[in-house]
Amino acid sequence: MDATERTATKYRNLRLNATANQLPELLARADANELSYLHLVELMADYELEQRTGKRIALNRRKAGFPAEKLLEGFDYRHQTTINKRQVNALLDFDFVDQRSNVIFIGPPGVGKTHLAIGIGQKAVNAGYKVLFRGALDLVEELELAEMKGELKKKISQLVKFDLMVIDELVYLPMSRQSRYNLFQLINSFYEYRSLIITTNKDFTHWGEFFHNDNVAVPIIDRIIHHSRIFMLGGESYRLKQKTDE
């Protein structure tokens, strides 16, 4: 075993596996560029950090559970009449996440609400935030199952570990009394503690129809819209446009 291999083994013992695996190449790069000892050490530290960051982001992307790859770069603003690229890009400093506030996209089906929500969520993951995507129906069922097992509090505690949660198509379907209660408990736990991105096809004046009770809808709405940035999406439906062009 030569000196490079012995050193690599020591790095592995220190759990610096990325640097250990790349050690010959890093040394060759340092030699080719005539780096000082300090710069060589910095190069090795930077490489290890980059690899660890990349692995953490990849893991967080898998945990996020995005249903599809929807990049913001692929969003077509030409069909939008009420939101523009500058407004969306203004969200990408993620000040709303740091400030524990919410983003809400309201509009009819097919105008790109989910695309924007996923795109922003993916950018948040790349920026180092922990993100979770859930369709509203799946989320309601998940909470209901946890409640039936007597584990609702535990489930909510797991969900609020994420910095940002995307809830897609909230209030799309009517909810039972228990579902409304479960959802309220979740939103109450997120309130001023974590951030939400919500897409919905109805403005808040119609939420009472889905919750069957304005006394339930009002406190849920109150906690969602407080510290929120609300975007009303209009324009032509992407899906309808694609269907017409076929």
Side-chain angles (χ1 to χ4, degrees):
M1 182 183 294
D2 63 19
T4 300
E5 292 175 342
R6 287 198 305 272
T7 304
T9 298
K10 292 177 181 178
Y11 272 102
R12 290 190 182 94
N13 290 336
L14 292 169
R15 297 185 179 179
L16 299 172
N17 295 319
T19 301
N21 295 335
Q22 197 70 11
L23 187 58
E25 288 78 5
L26 292 171
L27 291 172
R29 192 189 310 174
D31 185 56
N33 291 282
E34 299 183 354
L35 298 182
S36 67
Y37 296 127
L38 178 59
H39 284 167
L40 171 58
V41 173
E42 184 180 22
L43 173 67
M44 295 167 73
D46 286 343
Y47 182 80
E48 186 70 33
L49 288 171
E50 288 172 3
Q51 294 302 304
R52 291 189 180 190
T53 298
K55 288 181 179 179
R56 185 174 66 253
I57 289 174
L59 177 61
N60 287 342
R61 188 176 292 114
R62 290 195 297 271
K63 288 183 176 180
F66 295 117
E69 185 82 2
K70 297 286 187 180
L71 301 179
L72 286 180
E73 290 79 3
F75 189 80
D76 190 348
Y77 291 92
R78 292 174 301 174
H79 298 284
Q80 277 302 316
T81 59
T82 55
I83 191 172
N84 57 52
K85 188 174 183 179
R86 186 186 300 274
Q87 290 173 300
V88 173
N89 285 342
L91 299 171
L92 300 184
D93 61 2
F94 299 108
D95 179 65
F96 78 93
V97 179
D98 297 332
Q99 298 298 322
R100 310 294 190 265
S101 58
N102 306 317
V103 171
I104 304 167
F105 294 115
I106 303 174
V111 295
K113 303 185 300 297
T114 300
H115 189 148
L116 289 174
I118 293 176
I120 294 170
Q122 290 178 325
K123 294 285 188 183
V125 170
N126 293 339
Y129 295 96
K130 294 181 180 179
V131 180
L132 180 67
F133 180 97
R134 283 291 184 271
L137 182 58
D138 291 335
L139 177 62
V140 168
E141 291 178 349
E142 192 174 335
L143 294 175
E144 191 173 76
L145 180 61
E147 188 275 330
M148 290 172 61
K149 293 180 177 179
E151 298 177 349
L152 181 61
K153 186 175 181 179
K154 178 182 177 181
K155 170 57 66 174
I156 291 176
S157 295
Q158 292 172 349
L159 295 176
V160 298
K161 290 180 180 179
F162 290 89
D163 303 303
L164 171 65
M165 185 173 185
V166 179
I167 304 178
D168 191 39
E169 295 296 359
L170 185 59
V171 304
Y172 187 76
L173 295 172
M175 299 180 188
S176 68
R177 179 180 179 183
Q178 186 61 52
S179 295
R180 296 195 301 267
Y181 171 79
N182 296 342
L183 184 62
F184 176 76
Q185 293 302 310
L186 174 65
I187 290 174
N188 195 49
S189 296
F190 266 74
Y191 179 60
E192 295 188 331
Y193 180 65
R194 294 290 190 235
S195 296
L196 298 168
I197 294 179
I198 293 173
T199 74
T200 177
N201 65 329
K202 295 289 186 180
D203 64 52
F204 296 115
T205 59
H206 293 91
W207 277 33
E209 300 172 11
F210 292 93
F211 289 106
H212 298 293
N213 189 335
D214 287 338
N215 292 331
V216 177
V218 169
I220 290 178
I221 294 170
D222 181 64
R223 281 160 178 75
I224 289 176
I225 67 175
H226 192 213
H227 310 308
S228 287
R229 305 183 192 186
I230 301 173
F231 299 91
M232 303 293 295
L233 273 65
E236 187 177 1
S237 168
Y238 290 143
R239 291 191 287 271
L240 182 60
K241 179 71 165 60
Q242 290 171 350
K243 211 54 174 163
T244 305
D245 291 341
E246 289 178 357

